[in-house]
Amino acid sequence: MTLSSDTVRILSPSVVKQPAKNPHLTPVNGDRDRSQSIYLAGTACQIKSNVSLSTFTSFRVGGPAEWYVAPKQIEEVQACLEWARAEGLPVTFLGAGSNLLVSDRGIPGLAISTRHLRYSRFNPETGQVTVAAGQSLPRLAWQAAQLGWEGLEWAVGIPGTVGGAVVMNAGAHGSCAAEILVNTQVVSHRGTISVLTPEELGYSYRTSVLQGGDRLVTEATFQLKPGADPARVQATTSEQLEHRKSTQPYHLPSCGSVFRNPDGSRGAGWLIEQTGLKGYQIGSAQVAERHANFIVNCGGAKASDIFQLIRYVQAQVEQNWAVLLEPEVRTIGEFQGL
Ligand SMILES: Cc1cc2nc3c(=O)[nH]c(=O)nc-3n(C[C@H](O)[C@H](O)[C@H](O)COP(=O)(O)OP(=O)(O)OC[C@H]3O[C@@H](n4cnc5c(N)ncnc54)[C@H](O)[C@@H]3O)c2cc1C
Ligand SMILES: NC(=O)C1=CN([C@@H]2O[C@H](COP(=O)(O)OP(=O)(O)OC[C@H]3O[C@@H](n4cnc5c(N)ncnc54)[C@H](OP(=O)(O)O)[C@@H]3O)[C@@H](O)[C@H]2O)C=CC1
Ligand SMILES: C=C(O[C@H]1[C@H](O)[C@@H](CO)O[C@H](OP(=O)(O)OP(=O)(O)OC[C@H]2O[C@@H](n3ccc(=O)[nH]c3=O)[C@H](O)[C@@H]2O)[C@@H]1NC(C)=O)C(=O)O
């Protein structure tokens, strides 16, 4: 079973050209072919070539993005998308990289990171918070707790961005993004801005129609519950984080749960542990002792080690339990031939 990939193919890689001399581009220094970064005309947007993604993922693995940019506002997002389209490049969206496995070979085309899209606006009249896609979800959870707004306590241990949470329908402790989302603003690969409701997102467990799609989440609005005692909300938030740290290998690079829990009472962690795979290692990738549905990078792991371990665990569980575990982690780039 191949793992799904999230590189959006505006054109298939076979026709992806090396970026031509694009009139929109102002080389930073000298001839573009030599330069490692370029600026999009009319913006402060710097597109860099050959940027390693390993430091941008929680697994701490992954090869280089052919091109990488971190736009600071929606107009720059639109300019980047227009450039990629003009150059015939596939586009990949990056949040905090906490649910990504990026190929050691890297990814073709343009990787757009939301890391600089950050603001949060709490509206006491409506109890809603509107927040930029690149905002850290734990940071938002703590901000809400400090205000005495309930509804995000569950999210404090999810080390991703708001945009990633909207796309993944991130959840924990019986809650998830779908339950509190009012709407989300997205930009299509043609630069068109629209606002989607939870119904339009086709939400289900750890799934939305945005996954593997070509629309970038730029902002989300959540319905929270103001008026609680801030000390109590902060205490609950801390408890959620402490519970997680005691049941999950938080201290080692991972992507969180590797597989979605299958239907039925036996979760992925239980199935993998009962298959005797805790501690099983390929290279420096290991099935975590603390939680069998985590694969951890014990130091110096390659993406290929992790990929092969995912497939090995899938095969062993299927053989033992006739259950085919479905990856929750999003794989990006090519893993063929492994
Ligand atoms: C220690 C640890 C614990 C975790 N615990 C949980 C948990 O309890 N519950 C849970 O649900 N998850 C958990 N995760 C997984 C992960 O944190 C979530 O899936 C999170 O929502 C991913 O957000 P991100 O910003 O890192 O997205 P990324 O990993 O960067 O991207 C995930 C996917 O979303 C896409 N994407 C990201 N941002 C955007 C955007 N703005 N617009 C469009 N597409 C976008 C990417 O292309 C990719 O397909 C955990 C991960 C770790 C490392
Ligand atoms: N194992 C793995 O692969 C990974 C694990 N993690 C873990 O996930 C957890 C979340 O990490 P991360 O997403 O970086 O978020 P942080 O834990 O860094 O929290 C984000 C922000 O929330 C605020 N904050 C944190 N704790 C408190 C608090 N007790 N009270 C008030 N505000 C607080 C801080 O904002 P401010 O700076 O404004 O004070 C902080 O910058 C961390 O424990 C981290 O170690 C993260 C990534 C990967
Ligand atoms: C970490 C993630 O989300 C996590 C989220 O943090 C936690 C807490 O709410 O609940 C889910 O884990 P989970 O279903 O494994 O929940 P846990 O409470 O850790 O384990 C459930 C049960 O599985 C069994 N279990 C778990 C791990 C293990 O190694 N062995 C085992 O037998 C235990 O019986 C345990 O009681 C989410 N995982 C999925 C795939 O839904 C993620 O999505 O990345």
Side-chain angles (χ1 to χ4, degrees):
M1 170 184 182
T2 52
L3 298 165
S4 60
S5 168
D6 274 80
T7 295
V8 176
R9 301 215 180 294
I10 294 175
L11 285 171
S12 68
S14 56
V15 298
V16 168
K17 309 185 298 295
Q18 279 310 320
K21 297 211 179 305
N22 181 318
H24 300 297
L25 305 178
T26 318
V28 171
N29 43 26
D31 179 317
R32 224 161 65 73
D33 294 341
R34 280 190 304 105
S35 70
Q36 287 308 305
S37 59
I38 49 181
Y39 281 93
L40 282 184
T43 78
C45 227
Q46 186 177 9
I47 298 180
K48 296 177 183 168
S49 66
N50 199 29
V51 173
S52 168
L53 295 181
S54 59
T55 53
F56 292 122
T57 68
S58 55
F59 260 137
R60 293 290 180 262
V61 300
E66 183 184 3
W67 297 95
Y68 170 90
V69 68
K72 295 185 177 63
Q73 54 200 357
I74 197 159
E75 293 73 18
E76 291 185 3
V77 168
Q78 292 171 308
C80 294
L81 290 166
E82 185 202 347
W83 176 71
R85 204 170 55 253
E87 297 292 334
L89 293 173
V91 172
T92 300
F93 302 136
L94 300 178
S98 66
N99 203 41
L100 290 182
L101 178 59
V102 174
S103 167
D104 297 308
R105 299 167 190 157
I107 51 174
L110 177 64
I112 299 180
S113 169
T114 60
R115 64 187 309 117
H116 293 318
L117 301 177
R118 291 185 186 219
Y119 53 77
S120 54
R121 293 193 293 267
F122 289 80
N123 181 337
E125 274 135 48
T126 60
Q128 293 180 353
V129 56
T130 295
V131 55
Q135 183 82 347
S136 146
L137 193 62
R139 176 187 295 272
L140 183 69
W142 284 116
Q143 284 177 323
Q146 288 168 332
L147 290 170
W149 291 38
E150 294 172 302
L152 272 170
E153 300 86 322
W154 55 271
V156 69
I158 302 176
T161 63
V162 162
V166 168
V167 170
M168 292 307 304
N169 187 16
H173 313 296
S175 302
C176 65
E179 286 177 354
I180 56 169
L181 186 77
V182 174
N183 59 45
T184 186
Q185 177 183 274
V186 299
V187 181
S188 76
H189 74 283
R190 293 200 166 281
T192 312
I193 298 172
S194 49
V195 176
L196 304 177
T197 63
E199 294 68 32
E200 291 170 305
L201 290 173
Y203 270 144
S204 61
Y205 166 64
R206 294 289 192 280
T207 300
S208 81
V209 296
L210 295 174
Q211 286 181 19
D214 61 4
R215 289 175 289 187
L216 178 70
V217 170
T218 50
E219 182 184 274
T221 296
F222 297 114
Q223 182 64 60
L224 300 180
K225 221 172 104 195
D229 169 10
R232 184 173 60 76
V233 186
Q234 289 178 83
T236 311
T237 304
S238 288
E239 282 158 23
Q240 302 277 28
L241 187 57
E242 289 321 305
H243 166 78
R244 169 184 294 271
K245 288 185 171 177
S246 63
T247 56
Q248 298 176 359
Y250 232 60
H251 56 298
L252 285 173
S254 74
C255 68
S257 296
V258 173
F259 301 102
R260 289 179 171 82
N261 283 331
D263 294 339
S265 59
R266 292 166 169 167
W270 188 89
L271 290 166
I272 298 168
E273 177 167 14
Q274 296 306 317
T275 309
L277 291 174
K278 272 192 171 181
Y280 189 84
Q281 204 157 328
I282 292 181
S284 291
Q286 184 187 59
V287 175
E289 295 285 358
R290 188 174 300 178
H291 196 301
N293 193 17
F294 278 63
I295 287 176
V296 291
N297 173 351
C298 298
K302 297 201 297 293
S304 56
D305 298 336
I306 298 168
F307 184 82
Q308 288 175 65
L309 186 52
I310 289 173
R311 293 217 306 206
Y312 180 78
V313 169
Q314 258 182 327
Q316 292 300 306
V317 168
E318 185 177 24
Q319 191 180 315
N320 281 269
W321 304 95
V323 170
L324 184 60
L325 292 177
E326 191 192 341
E328 178 192 312
V329 63
R330 314 297 296 177
T331 55
I332 288 192
E334 299 304 332
F335 288 83
Q336 277 154 12
L338 286 173

